[in-house]
Every structure is written in C-alpha cells, then in structure tokens.
Amino acid sequence: MTPPAELPEHPDWLWRNPDPQPSYDVVIIGAGGHGLATAYYLARNHGMTDVAVLERSWLAGGNMARNTTIIRSNYLWDESAAIYEHALKLWEGLAEELDYDILLSQRGVLNLAHSLQEVRDSVRRVNANRLSGIDAEWLSPEEVRAICPIVNISEDVRYPVLGATYQPRGGIAKHDHVAWAYARAADRLGVDLVQHCEVTGFEVRAGRVVGVQTSRGPIAAGKVALCAAGHSSVLGRMVGLRLPVQSHPLQALVSELLEPVHPCVVMSNAVHVYVSQAHKGELVIGAGIDAFNSYAQRGSFHIIERQLAAAVDLFPIFANAHVLRTWGGIVDVTPDASPILGLTPLERLYINCGWGTGGFKATPASGWTYAHTIANDAPHELNRPFSLERFTTGALIDEHGAAAVAH
Ligand SMILES: Cc1cc2nc3c(=O)[nH]c(=O)nc-3n(C[C@H](O)[C@H](O)[C@H](O)COP(=O)(O)OP(=O)(O)OC[C@H]3O[C@@H](n4cnc5c(N)ncnc54)[C@H](O)[C@@H]3O)c2cc1C
C-alpha cells in the first residue's frame, strides 16, 4: 500500500512516503491505530497539520495488524463506559467520515457466564450499562442458542453455559482498513507518516521535551506524544518515566475459510476463548495472554492448545476445522486493566498506552481524546479519569471483570 521511495506517485497509493523533516509542531511515536487516529483528529478537529507520525517498522504492523477486531462498549464503570461508548458512536459513522469501507459489522457480542459468581457480576454489568445508556441485555442459555445456534448449551460440559450478556451493537471491523482509512485521511490533511524511523531517545531541556532522536536523525518537536502500545515502557525508560505497564504476548489464530456458520461474536472468560467469523470466512479465535513478559511478538504453544480445547468444548462443530495461521502481538497491561491517556510529569510529553488486550475497539475515541489533550495541553473530559497519577492517588478504574478475557 505504501510506495517505495523511488517510485513516482500513483493514484492507488493511499498515502505519501515522506522523509522526516527537521522539525514538527507535534511528533507522534507509533503508527498503530491509536497514533494514526490521533494524527487525523489533531488535523481535523484542531487544525494542527504540522504533525509527523514516526513508525519504527511499517505502518500498522504491530497490534493493529494482529488483533481480533472485536468492538463493544459494555464496560462496568461509568468512566470506561463513557469513553468506549464514544468510540462505538464514532465507529458507527467512521466509514462515511473517512470515505473508506471499514467493514463494520454490528453482529452482536455475547459474553458467556459459566458460574453463579459470573452470572451475578454479568447481571450487575448489564444493569450498570443500561444506566449509562448502553445497549445491554441478559440472556438465558436458550436465548443464547437462539442467537448463536452452534454454542453448546448442554449441561454435560465442564463449564455449562448459565447465561450471557449481549450487546447487539457490538461486532467487528476490518482492522487493516481502519488503519489505512485513518492514514489516508491524515495524509490528505498534510500529516507526514514516516515509516522505518525508530525513536531511540528524547531531547529534554529544563523539564520540557523538545525533540526526539531517531534512526533517521534528530527531529525537533513542539510536543511529543507516546503511542507505542507494547513498547511504551521501553520509550518511557528513555525519558526517565517508569510506567505501571507490563508487556505480554497475546496470541490469536484463524481456521481455514469456511461457509458462514457463526453469526455473532462469542466470548468466554471462564474457558478463556473468544470467537467470531471473519468476513472472508475464517474462524478468528483469540487466546488469553502468555504470563511472561516479552517483546518477541510470539507466544507459547500450550496457550494455543488450551484455547483450542476451550473452543471445541463450546463449539463442538469446530472439532474438524483446521488451523491455518497463528500469531502474537505484544500488549501493554496496567494493574487496573484500564488505559493511561493524558499528561506526564514532563512538559509537552503526552502518554497513551495500557489498552492491554482491548484497545482496538477504543481507537476512534482514543485518537479523539488524545488529540484534544495534545492540542489543549489538558485532558478531555472523557480521558481525565485515565491519568497516570491514578496509580499514586489510588483512583483506579478496575475493569478486570469486563476486560479479563483478552479481546
Ligand atoms: C492477538 C491480539 C488480539 C487482540 N484483539 C483485540 C480485540 O478483539 N479487540 C480490541 O479492542 N483489542 C484487541 N487487541 C488489542 C489491540 O490490538 C491493542 O490494544 C491496540 O491495537 C493498541 O493500539 P495501537 O493500534 O496503536 O498499537 P500498535 O499497532 O501496536 O502500535 C504501536 C506502534 O508503535 C511502534 N513503535 C514502538 N516503539 C517505537 C519506537 N521506538 N519508535 C517508533 N515506533 C515505535 C510499533 O512498531 C507499533 O507499530 C488485541 C491484541 C492482540 C495482540
């Protein structure tokens, strides 16, 4: 999708491939979904176009290319519900806004409950969601089967299905298209998307960040915005910022292409697997995180083995399907399973990380609120609660219940 530097311009290229300029008003580190969305909203909402997004590898080749594309907003706490629901509303108009088909499919998301405690927690979450104006329902096992006939609701399995939460507006979108759509729109507004440009250090003067060192030379910057997901703590360390973030591998896999058999998204915390069927026909099956820390973008075989055992338990029809491909990404997990989005102790340095296993669904709202924070040097109402300081004040937003299954 990106032209090699030596090729002339072509109408099919989605964005230019510029060399980095010596200075920008804003430098964003990381061209994943969040970095690209931030660049777009900086230009679109705040008129800031002297912006570069620096990517050490190729555009959107990190978690943005590796996620299982589930979108929903049914988180427990008001703060989370507000930001994820803002994202869902933006998703609903995004194809039109960016003039690009992102294949948004609001096919509904089921979160299964397999124990009495899970039932109580899930019903509480449904009630909280409704109070926040989010579409949420509690379903009996028979109602689950009516929506997804291939789920095994028999009582003769290790973890019988006791019910499920259901968000009809949840679903999936095509992650590559989302990245390309934001990239093209940002590029057209004048943003430089600079690939193969790794940030290796920061220029700091009197407590203020004034630029970055990169593999393609130094770049001066009025403001610098971290947006590096699994590599956030590596970048933080370069500038003396110790982040409460652990980086873990998270794996997923796909089956061969199948006829349509699975009409929605099904997730299960207890057996720890989640499944949807991609537009093309593959079953997209996600696992839990590998317990060790790593930056290697691959995980262990036993996690996949467990994931497939859980999938076959829930969906006996999958027993004869073949695995086509497995892969891993590196996700940035915080102690309260909520993101960090806001200011840092250093002037003109901003942080966006900690989305862990569930940041794809937040992409539009993350970009929207991060752009506001950067442009105004102050958080947007929606990201104010997600400050870095909450780990010292204790005002945590514990979303382990809603975010525990990796998605
Ligand atoms: C297997 C898997 C399944 C997932 N499933 C879901 C899901 O179903 N739903 C959901 O909501 N979320 C899901 N996620 C989580 C989601 O993918 C992430 O939370 C989200 O993509 C993170 O934001 P991003 O897109 O900006 O990250 P990334 O795409 O990882 O972007 C960060 C970028 O920073 C770049 N970078 C790092 N260091 C430097 C440096 N020094 N200099 C320059 N660039 C640098 C990286 O190369 C990378 O491109 C999943 C993740 C994985 C791995």
Side-chain angles (χ1 to χ4, degrees), residues 30-266:
H34 292 231
L36 294 168
T38 303
Y40 170 69
Y41 292 117
L42 268 174
R44 183 239 197 229
N45 292 356
H46 305 282
M48 297 181 75
T49 54
D50 187 24
V51 174
V53 185
L54 308 183
E55 169 54 50
R56 69 181 192 138
S57 183
W58 65 91
L59 186 141
N63 291 319
M64 188 61 178
R66 294 156 195 270
N67 72 76
T68 46
T69 79
I70 297 170
I71 292 171
R72 61 189 177 87
S73 63
N74 53 354
Y75 282 67
L76 175 64
W77 298 107
D78 293 352
E79 297 88 339
S80 322
I83 195 164
Y84 286 106
E85 178 60 18
H86 183 59
L88 187 46
K89 293 212 169 84
L90 289 171
W91 280 116
E92 286 169 337
L94 204 58
E96 198 180 342
E97 156 97 25
L98 301 177
D99 188 23
Y100 202 96
D101 189 0
I102 57 163
L103 298 177
L104 176 69
S105 164
Q106 292 179 288
R107 55 182 67 183
V109 174
L110 288 165
N111 285 74
L112 305 181
H114 301 268
S115 68
L116 281 178
Q117 188 56 50
E118 259 195 309
V119 170
R120 290 187 196 112
D121 290 345
S122 304
V123 170
R124 176 187 177 203
R125 188 145 60 82
V126 165
N127 291 333
N129 288 159
R130 287 188 170 176
L131 287 171
S132 299
I134 289 172
D135 56 320
E137 294 167 34
W138 173 252
L139 305 184
S140 67
E142 290 68 31
E143 289 170 319
V144 168
R145 190 168 47 192
I147 289 173
C148 191
I150 58 172
V151 176
N152 184 0
I153 60 160
S154 135
E155 286 177 6
D156 301 329
V157 289
R158 188 165 177 199
Y159 298 104
V161 173
L162 302 183
T165 68
Y166 183 50
Q167 184 174 25
R169 284 163 63 239
I172 58 171
K174 185 91 180 92
H175 48 3
D176 298 331
H177 288 209
V178 175
W180 301 338
Y182 272 123
R184 185 180 69 162
D187 175 90
R188 283 181 177 174
L189 291 171
V191 171
D192 278 359
L193 306 174
V194 186
Q195 302 180 82
H196 304 291
C197 181
E198 178 169 2
V199 171
T200 54
F202 291 80
E203 284 296 328
V204 183
R205 270 189 227 128
R208 181 175 175 169
V209 173
V210 294
V212 290
Q213 291 130 22
T214 80
S215 53
R216 295 174 71 176
I219 301 176
K223 300 180 177 192
V224 176
L226 304 177
C227 216
H231 282 76
S232 298
S233 42
V234 178
L235 281 156
R237 201 177 317 131
M238 290 178 196
V239 71
L241 212 55
R242 193 160 162 252
L243 297 175
V245 170
Q246 297 275 329
S247 294
H248 291 276
L250 176 64
Q251 300 183 74
L253 55 85
V254 288
S255 71
E256 77 257 68
L257 308 190
L258 300 170
E259 293 294 321
V261 287
H262 184 17
C264 58
V265 179
V266 175

Side-chain angles (χ1 to χ4, degrees), residues 331-362:
V331 296
D332 40 339
V333 179
T334 61
D336 62 356
S338 285
I340 302 170
L341 214 180
L343 310 177
T344 72
L346 286 154
E347 242 182 276
R348 305 300 165 100
L349 180 72
Y350 309 87
I351 186 154
N352 180 352
C353 70
W355 293 95
T357 59
F360 174 70
K361 64 177 72 64

